[in-house]
Amino acid sequence: MSHQFSDQLPSFEQFVSLHEASGLIKSKKGTYTREQLYQAAENSWYHISIYDQDQLIAFGRMISDGVYQALICDVMVDPSYQKQGLGKKIIEALLQKCKDSGIQSVQLFSAKGKQQFYKKLGFEERELDAPGMSLII
């Protein structure tokens, strides 16, 4: 099966539809509108989309300083297309952008239950004495 890759931001409707279908919208901490989530995607340093015909089936984005740090966000795959390696392709494309830009430090927050997926791709959990931390305000 041939899929099309694009680094252009999908339409608002496609983005929201995938966000909802993937269940990612339910896992967000805080209360954000669909418009705010799309604006976050617009403000990203880089994003990659995968399409089947004209249907958005996978998406991922990064925020970065463009020099040495990047944070992978919002990796999502339509449930009917999961287990086909599309999530892996999204991560590979995001990491290639980092390599091409000389960025060596890539972080991410995993959705609940997805840690093993990222470990298979080479990500490691942070050390117990240097944990990632967050604050919801």
Side-chain angles (χ1 to χ4, degrees), residues 35-137:
E35 290 78 13
Q36 288 172 315
L37 294 173
Y38 188 71
Q39 182 181 9
E42 286 179 313
N43 292 339
S44 297
W45 178 66
Y46 184 73
H47 38 73
I48 189 77
S49 302
I50 303 177
Y51 294 87
D52 182 3
Q53 305 293 325
D54 293 330
Q55 180 187 354
L56 178 66
I57 58 172
F59 177 86
R61 69 184 186 95
M62 289 188 298
I63 55 179
S64 177
D65 56 26
V67 178
Y68 78 98
Q69 290 277 0
L71 175 68
I72 294 176
C73 307
D74 299 336
V75 175
M76 47 189 160
V77 178
D78 184 297
S80 61
Y81 288 86
Q82 290 178 357
K83 306 290 185 206
Q84 297 181 25
L86 298 176
K88 179 181 178 184
K89 289 181 180 182
I90 289 288
I91 295 296
E92 288 172 344
L94 296 173
L95 293 177
Q96 188 60 53
K97 174 66 175 175
C98 289
K99 289 176 187 173
D100 293 347
S101 301
I103 294 172
Q104 299 174 26
S105 180
V106 181
Q107 310 296 316
L108 64 79
F109 293 104
S110 172
K112 188 178 284 188
K114 301 295 184 184
Q115 295 93 326
Q116 290 304 315
F117 168 75
Y118 292 108
K119 283 183 179 182
K120 287 180 189 176
L121 298 174
F123 286 86
E124 299 175 358
E125 293 182 27
R126 291 182 56 104
E127 299 85 14
L128 292 177
D129 63 348
M133 303 177 88
S134 65
L135 171 67
I136 305 299
I137 53 173

Side-chain angles (χ1 to χ4, degrees), residues 22-33:
S22 70
L24 189 60
I25 200 163
K26 294 176 187 163
S27 70
K28 296 287 182 216
K29 297 195 187 308
T31 54
Y32 300 99
T33 66

